[in-house]
Amino acid sequence: MRAHSSALTKGFTLAAGLTLVLAACSSGGGNSTHKSTSAGLSSCSTQGKANTCNAAATKSGGTFTYTLEKNIQQWNVQDVNGNTFENGEALEVVLPQVFIPRPDFSVGLNTDLVTSATQTSTSPQTIVYKINPKASWNDGTPITADDFIYYWRTNNGKDCPPPPASDASQTKGCLPQSTAGYDRIKSLTPSDGGKTVTMVMSKPYSDWKSLFGGGYPMYPAHVVEKLSGATAGDAAHMTAAQMTQGWQYFLKTPPSKYATAGAYKMQDWTDNDHATFVPDPKWTGAKKATLQRLIFKVISDATQEPIALRNNEVQGIYPQPEVDLVNQVKAIPNVSYTIGSGLTWEHFDLNLHNPVIGKYTALRQAMFTAISIKDIMAKTVAQFDPTVKQLGNHNYVPGQAGYQDVVNASGQGSGDLAKAKQYLTDAKFTGVGSALKAPDGKAVGPFNCRYTTGNQIRQSECQILQSALGNLGIKITIKPIGAADLGTVLAGHQYDIIVFAWVASPFPSSGAQQNWSTGGGGNYGGYSNKKVDSLIAQAVGETAAAKAAALLNQADSIMVNDAYVLPLYQKPTFLAVQTRFVNMRNNSTNVGPPYNTAEWGLKK
């Protein structure tokens, strides 16, 4: 998942926000469409309409400026610390991937990269990728099996091992945001001059369509081979040191400095300000860019986005909606918008590395039960999206096949103070309601509640939590996080309680493995349950979607009892664009609206 400037991992991304990969066969949730003074954007979440809604022919010319809510601090989106929503948005413009998440929660084959990706056997599971004969990097180097092999070996956790604990700078290995699936590949065999790749799995992998894409695009292997002195076209024999050199290069280097493969190329990057993309004349894909320039502008203060849109400084915004912001956009002439409910979901996380929080299950259950999600929604997102409902699952959202409410029956999120206090009393806590003490007599708290600075909704959520837990005798201090520091805070366990959002992709099993399994790259709070690990591992290896969902929901019921993460609600997404531009869509997955920038343009 990715964290949304809220955080990014496989399948979750941080939404500050992260990103979660959800089931490819799932159906979409509804988008509610609103209009300003011109025709509104229509919902793109209906199955089968992902690439047809809001579609129109374009003409050449024009500059479209789109906002990023966070600065991009490093450029390797495959790295656990580079797995942010904004990083993914910028890189998908210029780097290729096999399957691309769509607004209807399906995934579409990128035929500019591969003409087919077919499972040819289930025992052993075998996938054959036919690379488009025309596919090449913009320095003229063909895209081949070598690029797939480099991707696999840097992400499988074995060929380029992660940095040792003694390497505080994390520069002595590869640190992928997820090894899910890549650790199950037995072999990648090239044929047809490198234009066919045959992948054989050591164990079945349900979310195989998430591999080599799904929001995490490919980097050019030949650039690393030249940089590190490795043999050209032989990523299979690249050393760990050579792969580490490439990993660090892509981490530090914007894609304006190396070969890419997209309808646009990055012309320049100005740190903490903007990226400029221009049509790439070397692009071999079917759709040619029609915009003269595409600019991604960093505006970390969401309150400034409507102002920039009104002043024509930007032509499209994708902020986390708040009531004042939505009302401002409504008043801007010749702008249309849509509010969507997709794969982004808000949640409170507890840090189990905290010795008190980690030790007492009853304490965590009481904390989550004392919180009223209904009250949270009423004072925040329900003010502009009255359809929002409490989320009852950690792996699926309503509208997806497999969704079951496994949370509400527990009473977590109910605001039932009496039940919360009973948990504590039964577990021999004292000072309940005044100054809470653990059974060993030690004070419980104070704890901090952390949120990304400038986000009024999350500040309110921490304030509501502060009041609720105060009723249990737990003191909460509210401590904001710099907009660019969420990943650092999560990875460094620098919180007691934190609120952010996962931006999910359409692959739930691999997302669950990454975020809930012991040691998973997105499991920042240190959760560990052997039964959950076993059920998720079974789901990951189950090729039948319904069986995988049943296993994940079994695991989820255990997780609810363990009270590690409290889902709050599907986070509304909000896309607003000037009506003279077309083919922009609210893609409420880990890739966001820029999944199809090759199609963006002035209306003909």
Side-chain angles (χ1 to χ4, degrees):
M1 270 190 209
R2 279 192 180 108
H4 197 286
S5 305
S6 310
L8 279 183
T9 59
K10 191 159 202 152
F12 290 93
T13 296
L14 293 174
L18 297 176
T19 296
L20 170 63
V21 181
L22 299 173
C25 60
S26 63
S27 61
N31 281 7
S32 54
T33 301
H34 306 258
K35 297 181 180 181
S36 61
T37 55
S38 298
L41 298 175
S42 63
S43 168
C44 299
S45 65
T46 303
Q47 280 279 292
K49 293 192 176 181
N51 288 328
T52 59
C53 69
N54 302 322
T58 62
K59 60 184 178 182
S60 296
T63 295
F64 187 88
T65 302
Y66 174 83
T67 54
L68 298 178
E69 290 202 301
K70 285 200 310 183
N71 188 37
I72 296 173
Q73 294 187 306
Q74 64 109 308
W75 291 94
N76 190 342
V77 73
Q78 296 173 8
D79 185 272
V80 67
N81 295 313
N83 180 33
T84 66
F85 185 60
E86 291 76 10
N87 198 358
E89 285 189 299
L91 287 167
E92 66 197 42
V93 178
V94 294
L95 295 178
Q97 52 187 313
V98 175
F99 283 97
I100 304 173
R102 291 174 169 177
D104 63 355
F105 305 169
S106 67
V107 292
L109 185 69
N110 178 10
T111 55
D112 290 327
L113 175 61
V114 294
T115 56
S116 64
T118 308
Q119 180 172 286
T120 60
S121 173
T122 57
S123 184
Q125 188 181 29
T126 303
I127 317 301
V128 177
Y129 300 93
K130 294 284 188 181
I131 301 173
N132 191 317
K134 296 180 180 179
S136 69
W137 302 100
N138 64 1
D139 63 359
T141 304
I143 297 176
T144 67
D146 201 50
D147 298 297
F148 284 72
I149 292 168
Y150 173 75
Y151 195 134
W152 165 46
R153 296 190 68 220
T154 52
N155 282 270
N156 64 18
K158 296 175 287 189
D159 292 316
C160 184
S166 59
D167 179 21
S169 60
Q170 299 181 341
T171 59
K172 297 179 181 178
C174 301
L175 195 63
Q177 53 81 26
S178 175
T179 60
Y182 301 104
D183 57 358
R184 294 182 175 226
I185 297 175
K186 180 180 180 180
S187 63
L188 285 179
T189 305
S191 57
D192 298 337
K195 283 295 186 177
T196 295
V197 188
T198 300
M199 178 173 71
V200 178
M201 310 300 287
S202 59
K203 294 184 288 187
Y205 184 56
S206 60
D207 288 334
W208 64 268
K209 289 184 179 180
S210 70
L211 301 176
F212 311 108
Y216 298 86
M218 306 174 73
Y219 290 86
H222 72 282
V223 169
V224 181
E225 290 159 356
K226 183 176 181 179
L227 177 75
S228 66
T231 302
D234 193 17
H237 294 96
M238 202 179 292
T239 67
Q242 289 168 330
M243 287 186 283
T244 296
Q245 191 173 353
W247 191 269
Q248 292 295 320
Y249 175 78
F250 291 130
L251 187 149
K252 299 172 183 176
T253 310
S256 57
K257 304 294 186 181
Y258 56 82
T260 55
Y264 292 92
K265 63 180 179 179
M266 182 183 284
Q267 187 177 63
D268 65 77
W269 162 251
T270 300
D271 187 54
N272 207 32
D273 192 81
H274 73 277
T276 302
F277 302 90
V278 295
D280 191 342
K282 303 290 183 64
W283 171 235
T284 59
K287 293 185 177 71
K288 307 300 181 183
T290 59
L291 288 171
Q292 183 179 355
R293 286 192 308 170
L294 173 64
I295 297 174
F296 281 16
K297 173 70 174 174
V298 178
I299 301 180
S300 55
D301 183 353
T303 64
Q304 298 302 305
E305 293 184 57
I307 297 170
L309 185 62
R310 179 185 297 110
N311 294 340
N312 198 35
E313 297 166 16
V314 302
Q315 290 74 49
I317 63 175
Y318 196 57
Q320 298 176 51
E322 298 181 12
V323 61
D324 290 344
L325 186 149
V326 172
N327 287 334
Q328 287 180 58
V329 171
K330 283 182 181 180
I332 302 174
N334 303 313
V335 167
S336 297
Y337 72 92
T338 184
I339 294 175
S341 54
L343 303 186
T344 305
W345 56 281
E346 191 90 345
H347 49 94
F348 280 118
D349 287 22
L350 301 180
N351 181 10
L352 304 189
H353 297 94
N354 178 296
V356 177
I357 294 175
K359 182 176 182 178
Y360 297 106
T361 302
L363 171 64
R364 302 194 300 271
Q365 291 172 332
M367 291 166 68
F368 281 175
T369 302
I371 298 166
S372 170
I373 296 176
K374 184 177 180 180
D375 187 35
I376 286 174
M377 293 188 300
K379 293 177 179 178
T380 56
V381 292
Q383 294 183 25
F384 57 84
D385 185 6
T387 65
V388 68
K389 294 180 175 62
Q390 181 175 346
L391 181 63
N393 200 289
H394 293 80
N395 299 303
Y396 298 95
V397 297
Q400 282 191 290
Y403 178 79
Q404 292 180 13
D405 185 342
V406 297
V407 177
N408 286 341
S410 71
Q412 292 181 22
S414 66
D416 188 337
L417 189 59
K419 184 175 182 178
K421 289 182 174 181
Q422 193 64 50
Y423 276 123
L424 297 171
T425 302
D426 290 349
K428 311 301 182 185
F429 283 75
T430 59
V432 178
S434 54
L436 190 65
K437 292 185 178 180
D440 61 6
K442 294 181 180 178
V444 175
F447 300 140
N448 59 55
C449 180
R450 307 209 66 182
Y451 72 96
T452 42
T453 187
N455 189 310
Q456 183 60 51
I457 285 178
R458 295 215 171 97
Q459 182 178 349
S460 297
E461 288 167 347
C462 276
Q463 289 169 343
I464 294 167
L465 175 137
Q466 182 182 53
S467 176
L469 298 192
N471 292 328
L472 298 180
I474 303 172
K475 183 178 179 180
I476 300 296
T477 60
I478 298 175
K479 188 177 179 182
I481 303 166
D485 299 328
L486 179 61
T488 300
V489 169
L490 286 166
H493 322 305
Q494 300 167 17
Y495 63 94
D496 298 317
I497 309 165
I498 192 167
V499 60
F500 64 94
W502 286 117
V503 184
S505 76
F507 306 101
S509 298
S510 53
Q513 183 182 40
Q514 184 65 11
N515 291 281
W516 319 128
S517 294
T518 302
N523 188 351
Y524 298 106
Y527 177 71
S528 181
N529 184 302
K530 290 182 179 179
K531 181 60 175 177
V532 169
D533 290 348
S534 175
L535 288 166
I536 290 175
Q538 292 178 59
V540 168
E542 178 55 69
T543 56
K547 292 181 180 179
L551 291 163
L552 289 182
N553 283 324
Q554 287 182 51
D556 207 345
S557 295
I558 298 171
M559 286 173 53
V560 170
N561 186 67
D562 289 340
Y564 164 49
V565 168
L566 178 64
L568 299 179
Y569 51 83
Q570 272 178 283
K571 189 170 181 62
T573 54
F574 183 79
L575 175 66
V577 299
Q578 291 183 357
T579 53
R580 60 194 177 106
F581 292 96
V582 293
N583 299 329
M584 290 82 179
R585 304 184 183 109
N586 187 354
N587 189 342
S588 302
T589 71
N590 60 314
V591 296
Y595 84 106
N596 70 330
T597 50
E599 300 174 41
W600 291 10
L602 284 168
K603 188 174 183 179
K604 195 170 184 178

